[in-house]
Amino acid sequence: MKRVTAVLAAAALALTACSAGGPEQREPGTSQPNPAPGGQGPGVTASSPYPFGTVQQKAPAIANGQVPVVKRITTDKPYVFLTMDDGAVQDPDALKLMEQNGTHPVLFLNQKYVKGHEAYFKQILDATGATLGDHTVDHPNLKGKPLEFQRKEICDDADDFQKSLGVRPSLFRPPFGNYDQNTLRAAAECGMRVAVLWTAAVNDGHVQFQAGDKLKPGDIVLMHFRKTFKEDYTAFVEQAKKDGLTPVPLADFLG
């Protein structure tokens, strides 16, 4: 029965995806700085366990022309990582919630949702220490698609964000968590450094785990810009606190 429950939990996490690894400076243009809350730039605040915006770990290197896939971060520190996908619903309280809690998420956004709402997302990026990620233009299932199709979806998303938001993302998340060798190759050709998956998800105000009943150090958590944004965000913050974990910038561990 336990085995069946574990399998069902893993399946539920997969289905929730986008449905409606010493401090260094990063190379210019390869990734976005992660300022502390309030957009003050790298530095320790009262609640910062290290200077945010400095590389703590590095992602595996690109090999054979393909970006590596990272599902969780290997760490003995009590850190957890929040990611937010799509951008479909622009909750007016998202900025305030992130400023109050300092979760430093990665926003894996789709151009189709950002278009017309650039000011909303730019304000979040500038003020909260969030990182911009690439999630394709139109959110298709990339697996099995031709290389050129995948490259256009990924590259065009990054190109548009560079123009409209002033930042070119270097972290990539495949829609639905589905990918193949062409996806990893296309991501590398578009300037991505890593493909990021997840180990836990938040839906309808509840944190769902792939294993066990709590968040663990190194977990990458998925949530979305949805109508339930407040409930989902609050559920993550409360669960992280309950499990003794501090949300920190994922980009600092994928330098």
Side-chain angles (χ1 to χ4, degrees):
M1 184 62 182
K2 291 183 178 180
R3 184 173 182 274
V4 173
T5 301
V7 171
L8 289 174
L13 279 173
L15 289 173
T16 58
C18 304
S19 58
E24 305 174 14
Q25 296 297 320
R26 293 190 178 88
E27 295 179 10
T30 60
S31 61
Q32 177 191 355
N34 280 279
Q40 299 302 311
V44 176
T45 67
S47 59
S48 301
Y50 66 88
F52 291 157
T54 57
V55 177
Q56 302 298 300
Q57 292 180 199
K58 289 189 174 183
I62 292 175
N64 300 317
Q66 300 176 351
V67 298
V69 177
V70 172
K71 189 174 183 180
R72 69 187 318 277
I73 300 299
T74 300
T75 179
D76 58 359
K77 304 291 186 182
Y79 299 154
V80 66
F81 308 92
L82 181 62
T83 63
M84 301 176 177
D85 282 14
D86 302 352
V89 177
Q90 297 83 43
D91 189 295
D93 293 326
L95 174 61
K96 180 176 68 175
L97 287 169
M98 284 186 255
E99 286 181 323
Q100 290 175 343
N101 294 282
T103 48
H104 308 278
V106 178
L107 312 186
F108 287 107
L109 303 176
N110 302 111
Q111 190 265 351
K112 73 173 184 177
Y113 294 127
V114 173
K115 191 173 181 62
H117 303 282
E118 289 86 355
Y120 172 87
F121 291 105
K122 183 168 177 53
Q123 187 177 26
I124 290 176
L125 290 167
D126 289 347
T128 69
T131 300
L132 179 62
D134 188 317
H135 199 40
T136 73
V137 172
D138 292 314
H139 203 284
N141 184 346
L142 296 175
K143 188 174 182 179
K145 298 294 193 302
L147 175 62
E148 186 53 38
F149 175 90
Q150 300 201 41
R151 184 162 48 207
K152 183 171 178 57
E153 279 284 340
I154 300 169
C155 287
D156 285 4
D157 199 51
D159 291 345
D160 181 79
F161 290 160
Q162 186 168 29
K163 294 175 183 177
S164 64
L165 299 177
V167 178
R168 184 180 180 83
S170 62
L171 305 181
F172 168 67
R173 170 166 284 161
F176 310 104
N178 292 339
Y179 65 94
D180 57 21
Q181 299 306 302
N182 276 342
T183 311
L184 304 183
R185 178 181 170 189
E189 292 179 358
C190 293
M192 302 300 115
R193 297 184 291 105
V194 61
V196 181
L197 301 183
W198 60 92
T199 49
V202 193
N203 289 284
D204 299 322
H206 299 283
V207 181
Q208 300 170 329
F209 312 96
Q210 287 188 345
D213 58 357
K214 65 179 182 178
L215 293 173
K216 298 174 290 296
D219 273 345
I220 297 173
V221 182
L222 164 71
M223 65 170 284
H224 296 80
F225 282 91
R226 289 177 174 159
K227 292 181 180 179
T228 56
F229 185 93
K230 296 184 191 68
E231 293 88 343
D232 293 347
Y233 186 84
T234 300
F236 165 75
V237 170
E238 292 179 349
Q239 187 70 50
K241 183 178 180 179
K242 176 183 177 182
D243 296 333
L245 301 175
T246 300
V248 298
L250 178 60
D252 292 350
F253 289 76
L254 296 174

